[in-house]
Amino acid sequence: MQKLWIKGGVPLEGEIRISGAKNAALPILAATLLLDEPATISNIPHLKDVTTIIELLGILGVKVTLDESFSVHVDASDLSSFVAPYELVKTMRASILVLGPLLSKYGQADVSLPGGCAIGSRPVDLHINGMRAMGAEIEVEDGYIHARAKNGLKGTRIVLNTVTVTGTENLMMAGVFAKGQTILKNAAREPEVVDLANFLKSVGADIEGAGTDTIVINGVTRLHSSHYSILFDRIEAATYLAAGAITGGCVKLKDVEPEMMAAVLEKLSEMGAELTIEERAIQLDMRGKRPKAVDIETAPYPGFPTDAQAQFLAVNAIAEGVSTVKETIFENRFMHVQELVRMGADIHVQGNIAVCKGIEKLHGAPVMATDLRASASLVLAGLAAEGETIVDRIYHIDRGYSCLDEKLAQLGANIRRI
Ligand code: UD1
């Protein structure tokens, strides 16, 4: 099994390009199931979750070709199956995103239940209830969601009682071919939801309001071809900015949209980072400074993203002062804390709050990655620590970060895959 070896203590310096967003690529690739004509999606990030969704599309009968410039050509005009099998779904919860498109276009889908997950129970009841409200007959049996809509889905008003990102995306895709109007209330406002809506509009869907808490979808009968480029990955960007901050370095990120990162940039600035914002770039300068501890509370967009919580807790671990980090989206999303403590961090978890007393230096140790973002926080801790850190089970990192070790090495980090 591959591991990452890191020798800490080097302030990161330099410039990197941020990849396309995993959480936009997954729903957009799933949405190609709705198309009658081939489409090309570019700026696809090179990572395992993307390979998994492409494999799933392949099982359904979609013809997918990849080119060397990270573009994917997709032809979903002739499907051969409507089953998303357990073997794939268990490796990636986001596989549930094929449910909405299959049901909307073909009136049938059998999708394995995603099951448990390292960061909490993560149910999909809101996806299922929403589609039932649109007229689908859905049974959950033998670990599978069996969904049928013989006469097609019907638009209706759906109030989501929790803000759910993939739930909003699945129901938005379900509404594309539903008869009449689908209204999603309390919809997720994440930029990735907006990117999916923009893609769907580019192929002829009728969607208004993405980016607000009310999305209105008027059913259409056909979608056409498109060439669409995926949004940048704001979580990857947040991770590299945190890496710059934790190492007392100076990093510049290119191909980003800074206004989508307001909550993260505000915390970095509170930490004492000097930020230079350009139209498509962000530079963070933390040279010669130790970060100041900052309180963080995760929240749906535009709040502080839960997917950046672990990385910022790692920065707080070496910051000056005491901080509290409150996780409000997922229960059990503090798996990184025990590993950070093994590196010397002074963090105590009480319910959904981590209380962190910043220490001067972490020390290198063998640590274990437990989920995607937790792994990233251990890498950041390793970059700042004295001595050597070995991060085990880095397949979690490869699920969601495109060439993490190469990009960090480009910024001067002493890091190797072993
Ligand atoms: C998406 C992101 C993930 C991010 C999360 C929150 C993708 C592929 N993944 O995950 O990286 O961490 O948003 O920003 O985009 N919930 C229910 N019932 C449901 C659905 C969700 O109770 O049917 C709850 C969840 O348990 C959780 C909360 O709603 O407490 C938010 O989850 P959700 O937004 O659905 O997360 P994902 O879409 O799975």
Side-chain angles (χ1 to χ4, degrees), residues 238-290:
T239 303
Y240 287 105
L241 292 173
I246 200 170
T247 60
C250 182
V251 299
K252 184 168 182 180
L253 311 183
K254 289 184 299 183
D255 289 350
V256 295
E257 294 181 50
E259 70 279 8
M260 292 180 191
M261 298 194 61
V264 161
L265 296 179
E266 195 185 303
K267 288 296 161 191
L268 287 165
S269 159
E270 251 182 74
M271 282 176 159
E274 213 172 280
L275 297 168
T276 312
I277 310 294
E278 293 169 25
E279 205 186 323
R280 301 265 310 154
I282 302 171
Q283 178 175 286
L284 170 139
D285 188 347
M286 198 69 164
R287 278 178 291 208
K289 282 194 245 171
R290 178 177 172 200

Side-chain angles (χ1 to χ4, degrees), residues 158-177:
I158 299 169
V159 182
L160 296 158
N161 58 26
T162 304
V163 178
T164 160
V165 176
T166 51
T168 300
E169 292 165 346
N170 233 341
L171 294 170
M172 187 158 78
M173 293 188 280
V176 164
F177 290 133

